[in-house]
């Protein structure tokens, strides 16, 4: 059975991540958000702490921690700044965990150490301008020419796309085969034909890099077999959605912490506002959602650590934690009143940053369809 008691090692890692978030991430979050600055120095510090690729085996440069411990790290970084948490989630879960699971020995040795050390960033090229939820329906094409794979197409909303040395690119090799024709390629970005364009004016995650990618006959190194592409994407999302959920627990906790502190220092009617029942109701709602989200994340992590199937439980955790983050951040603003509407306090940034989490790595609606299908055995995705 799942044990909610953390080991001494897990406590130590959580405390280290907490101290790092409070000491290094929190003080820079507001300025990076205001300036839309992707803070590569801070990314390097995160890597130096061993927080990039923490679940990667030590022989490939990672820390070899289990999924439960990974969630503790991601929660703390998510509490500090979701833009930095996105870096951890994309590099660790979407890119590194895919290479660990599907890469050849040579591919692992080539890429994992440089991704874990922060020497290189990696991005996950699945989504396209016309392809979001219907992830199997890719227009990017790959063809084999003289024993080498050439890829052409476009990718959209790609986190870290402008800064990555490696792009995991999903492409169709034979449209008639539908999802069974998809393949995944390791694409070094420093080659002719690979161009990126930054996407600006986002609602939140302003300190995170987001790009549109264009591939014009670039070379890719096939990972896994032709036809494995969709499974690779889905298994990457099993890890990525978990990481997003853990980061959202951090947003919930951060909203709660800020609200408790503010409700004790702010007085109205000659009393701290935290002594009013309606304010305590908001605090209680945040506590319950934070604890429930964390419990669901830990359950999904426990299943992963046991090597048991966890796709449905990951979707449950992702759905609940992301929606809870939006609600807790919103309640946090309500507790702070007018002060919560400006960036003197973190709650308005929490709300703007939380908002994307119910969209990316599978919308809340997609998570509900995955959960509904698992429980009924009926596929509501078929038109
Ligand atoms: N692991 C491994 N294989 C899996 C899997 C998993 N978790 N889930 C499904 N598969 C396999 C199935 O076994 C099946 O294999 P066979 O063909 O051999 O039987 C195959 O994949 C097809 O599976 P489904 O029937 O479940 O596929 P579907 O088309 O019915 O449903 C979907 C797919 C759930 C809707 C899926 O398309 C989906 O999750 N869509 C959302 C896409 C998404 O999350 N995009 C996020 C982009 S990434 C991002 O946001 C990154 C960023 O930068 C932040």
């Amino acid at each position: 059975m799942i044990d909610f008691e953390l080991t001494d090692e897990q406590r130590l890692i959580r405390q280290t991540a907490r101290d790092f978030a409070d000491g290094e991430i929190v003080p820079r979050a507001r300025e990076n958000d205001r300036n839309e600055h992707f803070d590569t120095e801070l990314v390097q510090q995160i890597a130096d702490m061993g927080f990039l690729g923490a679940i990667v085996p030590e022989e490939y440069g990672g820390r070899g921690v289990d999924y439960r411990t990974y969630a503790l790290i991601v929660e703390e970084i998510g509490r500090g700044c979701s833009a930095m948490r996105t870096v951890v989630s994309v590099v660790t879960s979407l890119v590194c965990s895919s290479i660990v699971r599907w890469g050849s020995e040579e591919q692992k040795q080539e890429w994992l150490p440089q991704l874990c050390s922060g020497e290189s960033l990696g991005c996950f090229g699945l989504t396209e301008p016309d392809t979001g939820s219907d992830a199997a329906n890719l227009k990017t094409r790959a063809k084999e020419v003289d024993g080498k794979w050439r890829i052409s197409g476009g990718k959209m909303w790609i986190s870290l796309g402008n800064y990555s040395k490696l792009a995991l690119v999903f492409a169709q090799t034979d449209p008639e085969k539908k999802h069974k024709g998809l393949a995944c390629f390791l694409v070094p970005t420093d080659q002719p034909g690979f161009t990126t364009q930054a996407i600006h004016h986002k609602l939140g995650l302003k300190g995170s890099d987001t790009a549109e990618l264009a591939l014009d006959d670039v070379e890719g190194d096939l990972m896994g077999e032709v036809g494995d592409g969709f499974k690779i994407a889905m298994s990457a999302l099993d890890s990525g959605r978990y990481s997003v959920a853990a980061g959202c627990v951090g947003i919930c906790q951060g909203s709660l912490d800020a609200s408790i502190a503010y409700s004790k220092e702010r007085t109205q009617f000659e009393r701290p506002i935290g002594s009013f029942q309606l304010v305590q109701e908001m605090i209680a709602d945040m506590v319950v959602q934070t604890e429930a989200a964390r419990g669901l994340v830990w359950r999904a992590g426990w299943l992963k650590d046991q090597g048991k199937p966890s796709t449905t439980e990951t979707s449950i955790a992702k759905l609940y934690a992301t929606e809870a983050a939006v609600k807790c951040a919103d309640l946090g603003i309500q507790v702070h009143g007018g002060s919560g509407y400006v960036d003197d306090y973190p709650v308005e940034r929490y709300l703007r940053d939380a908002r994307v989490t119910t969209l990316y790595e599978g919308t809340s609606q997609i998570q509900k369809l995955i959960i509904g299908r698992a429980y009924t055995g009926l596929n509501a995705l078929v038109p």
Side-chain angles (χ1 to χ4, degrees):
M1 269 312 283
I2 181 166
D3 183 355
F4 281 96
E5 197 68 27
L6 298 179
T7 64
D8 288 345
E9 193 193 358
Q10 285 171 328
R11 278 178 209 282
L12 183 65
I13 292 175
R14 181 175 64 178
Q15 192 58 48
T16 308
R18 188 169 285 171
D19 293 344
F20 176 77
D22 287 332
E24 304 296 334
I25 299 179
V26 170
R28 288 152 87 159
R30 183 172 69 172
E31 284 309 307
N32 288 338
D33 178 73
R34 279 186 178 177
N35 299 325
E36 295 198 11
H37 175 56
F38 182 56
D39 193 338
T40 50
E41 277 175 24
L42 189 51
V43 172
Q44 189 55 58
Q45 280 179 262
I46 290 171
D48 293 343
M49 293 297 293
F51 296 153
L52 281 186
I55 45 176
V56 172
E58 285 175 296
E59 57 185 303
Y60 300 115
R63 292 273 295 268
V65 304
D66 59 18
Y67 267 87
R68 285 274 303 280
T69 310
Y70 175 47
L72 302 175
I73 296 169
V74 176
E75 177 184 330
E76 293 303 331
I77 294 177
R79 183 178 57 80
C81 171
S82 290
M84 289 298 115
R85 195 277 305 153
T86 295
V87 177
V88 175
S89 296
V90 171
V91 173
T92 309
S93 281
L94 295 179
V95 179
C96 287
S97 78
S98 300
I99 299 174
V100 168
R101 175 152 176 206
W102 298 91
S104 65
E105 189 54 35
E106 205 183 332
Q107 288 168 333
K108 289 180 194 176
Q109 286 186 9
E110 180 179 2
W111 288 110
L112 291 172
Q114 48 179 311
L115 290 165
C116 294
S117 70
E119 185 191 333
S120 300
L121 291 179
C123 63
F124 185 74
L126 177 66
T127 303
E128 300 182 351
D130 295 329
T131 301
S133 294
D134 186 8
N137 192 13
L138 299 180
K139 293 207 172 105
T140 298
R141 296 283 181 264
K143 59 176 192 272
E144 207 171 4
V145 183
D146 300 331
K148 291 197 187 306
W149 285 96
R150 314 293 307 185
I151 307 161
S152 293
K155 298 289 171 180
M156 191 70 184
W157 310 121
I158 306 303
S159 301
L160 319 186
N162 296 295
Y163 288 82
S164 291
K165 286 194 190 156
L166 171 69
L168 232 64
V169 174
F170 295 85
Q172 180 58 267
T173 64
D174 182 351
E176 286 188 6
K177 291 191 179 154
K178 303 206 165 149
H179 78 266
K180 291 185 193 296
L182 295 180
C184 176
F185 299 91
L186 297 165
V187 176
T189 60
D190 60 348
Q191 50 174 318
F194 190 100
T195 49
T196 71
Q197 199 175 349
I199 296 173
H200 294 293
H201 313 304
K202 294 172 291 186
L203 174 69
L205 281 192
K206 288 176 182 282
S208 171
D209 175 60
T210 312
E212 185 170 358
L213 314 181
L215 296 89
D216 181 12
D217 201 32
V218 301
E219 193 176 326
D221 182 19
L222 180 68
M223 185 165 79
E225 304 290 329
V226 172
D228 283 344
F230 195 72
K231 287 185 185 169
I232 296 175
M234 291 299 121
S235 64
L237 288 165
D238 277 344
S239 181
R241 289 168 181 165
Y242 176 76
S243 189
V244 172
C248 283
V249 177
I251 294 179
C252 294
Q253 186 67 54
S255 302
L256 176 61
D257 293 346
S259 299
I260 292 172
Y262 187 79
S263 73
K264 287 169 142 181
E265 90 199 12
R266 169 79 173 169
T267 57
Q268 287 293 284
F269 307 100
E270 297 172 6
R271 293 164 62 184
I273 60 167
S275 68
F276 293 112
Q277 290 183 355
L278 291 179
V279 173
Q280 288 205 6
E281 184 196 34
M282 289 192 276
I283 302 278
D285 283 347
M286 293 161 81
V287 169
V288 172
Q289 291 182 71
T290 305
E291 294 292 342
R294 186 178 290 120
L296 290 172
V297 168
W298 286 16
R299 178 180 67 159
W302 178 79
L303 288 168
K304 290 178 198 298
D305 290 332
Q306 306 292 310
K308 296 186 174 169
S310 64
T311 299
T312 309
E313 290 76 9
T314 300
S315 281
I316 293 171
K318 201 265 182 186
L319 171 65
Y320 187 85
T322 56
E323 296 285 346
V326 174
K327 288 184 196 141
C328 287
D330 193 39
L331 282 170
I333 293 175
Q334 197 66 24
V335 171
H336 283 72
S339 298
Y341 198 63
V342 288
D343 68 5
D344 296 347
Y345 292 92
V347 283
E348 62 84 39
R349 177 169 47 82
Y350 282 145
L351 181 65
R352 288 185 290 105
D353 287 352
R355 196 60 192 80
V356 75
T357 64
T358 70
L359 307 174
Y360 70 12
E361 305 213 22
T363 59
S364 289
Q365 287 68 30
I366 286 292
Q367 309 311 326
K368 285 179 185 172
L369 292 173
I370 292 171
I371 297 162
R373 180 169 65 180
Y375 276 77
T376 63
L378 302 172
N379 188 359
L381 285 156
V382 179

